[in-house]
Amino acid sequence: MSKTVLVTGASSGIGYQICKDLLTKGARVIGLSRTIDKSHLLNEFEHFIPWQCDLSDIAQAGDLFQSLIDNIGPIDALIYAAGVCYHEQFGQTKMNSITEQLNVNLVSAFLLCEQAIAHMPKQSAIILLSSTLAEKPIATSAIYSASKAGLEQVMKASALAGAAKQISVNAVALGCVDTPMLNQHRDDNLGQQTRLKALAELHPFGLGKAHEVAQIITTLLSQPWTTGSVIKVDGGLSLN
């Protein structure tokens, strides 16, 4: 795979596994995160380029593609794996968590889609990571669910905008994947292992594994006739 791929959320979880999968297949990968640097494990790969950017600050996202192209060169694909989720009881949502979730999960993703379609060559690809919570929220996920539902509409608009250049744009709606995000604190009075067990039982195939999900996502890069689709990868969660 002789492509240059920009992956956001690259420092951990699914984003990290996507980078690793692409690098082992021979791609050049720009791994973007607010904390990533040359000390990160991915730097053991020759063709990995760390790039620091805080996507909660939409000013930093505003001219990101131009900066990357000026410093690194053309980009052939965008995988938007960055995401922020705060589970808060309805009626107790903090303003800063609203702003951060909307900026990272929706606004910066939209800005990067606009830039990608403007700057990437013909027959490139964009993949956005969504969630089954976009379609079926829970009481503590109102803002996260709203941001991911909005992201899926951004995907569809971007697919229409990118069609003239044959740029495919798709979203992958994930169930619960065993990542650091899933292990974050939730205001539900459950112990971590109890909560994980309960979440796993909602999925006929149990919790997802980051490396397995990453392989599915990177495979989509070589599916040029698929565009405008929300593809569920949820271990059967949506069957319930």
Side-chain angles (χ1 to χ4, degrees):
M1 180 185 290
S2 57
K3 292 185 176 181
T4 299
V5 184
L6 171 60
V7 181
T8 72
S11 60
S12 65
I14 296 169
Y16 167 78
Q17 292 294 339
I18 289 170
C19 289
K20 196 170 180 181
D21 190 47
L22 288 168
L23 288 161
T24 58
K25 292 176 179 176
R28 185 169 70 151
V29 175
I30 305 167
L32 186 146
S33 163
R34 70 180 79 186
T35 59
I36 204 162
D37 58 26
K38 292 190 175 181
S39 67
H40 193 276
L41 287 172
L42 287 169
N43 286 282
E44 69 183 39
F45 292 93
E46 179 183 358
H47 298 298
F48 179 72
I49 303 166
W51 193 275
Q52 284 191 358
C53 179
D54 184 355
L55 293 171
S56 68
D57 179 358
I58 57 176
Q60 292 189 35
D63 61 353
L64 178 62
F65 253 79
Q66 191 62 61
S67 297
L68 291 169
I69 291 169
D70 289 345
N71 284 275
I72 298 168
I75 297 168
D76 303 296
L78 165 65
I79 300 179
Y80 198 94
V84 176
C85 180
Y86 294 112
H87 284 274
E88 297 171 300
Q89 294 298 328
F90 202 87
Q92 299 177 21
T93 307
K94 301 177 183 65
M95 186 57 67
N96 61 342
S97 72
I98 294 174
T99 302
E100 185 177 2
Q101 288 177 96
L102 290 176
N103 282 354
V104 174
N105 301 342
L106 179 60
V107 180
S108 285
F110 168 67
L111 294 173
L112 263 62
C113 283
E114 282 195 318
Q115 294 169 58
I117 289 168
H119 291 290
M120 290 196 310
K122 290 183 177 180
Q123 298 180 325
S124 298
I126 299 171
I127 300 172
L128 309 175
L129 267 63
S130 186
S131 168
T132 54
L133 289 172
E135 183 178 345
K136 191 175 181 180
I138 57 177
T140 61
S141 76
I143 300 302
Y144 181 76
S145 293
S147 67
K148 291 299 188 179
L151 181 69
E152 292 182 4
Q153 299 309 311
V154 165
M155 177 274 293
K156 293 176 183 178
S158 299
L160 291 169
K165 292 174 69 176
Q166 292 186 302
I167 296 175
S168 64
V169 190
N170 295 286
V172 177
L174 299 174
C176 293
V177 182
D178 191 3
T179 64
M181 180 184 286
L182 191 67
N183 288 281
Q184 288 177 347
H185 171 75
R186 296 193 188 191
D187 187 14
D188 57 10
N189 298 316
L190 293 176
Q192 186 182 60
Q193 293 305 313
T194 302
R195 184 189 309 110
L196 290 176
K197 183 175 183 293
L199 290 172
E201 289 173 350
L202 294 174
H203 301 67
F205 279 11
L207 297 177
K209 296 180 176 63
H211 72 276
E212 294 174 341
V213 172
Q215 289 172 5
I216 295 169
I217 291 166
T218 57
T219 298
L220 271 175
L221 293 177
S222 58
Q223 303 297 321
W225 204 57
T226 301
T227 194
S229 295
V230 179
I231 299 159
K232 288 184 179 177
V233 178
D234 66 359
L237 174 64
S238 57
L239 295 172
N240 295 323

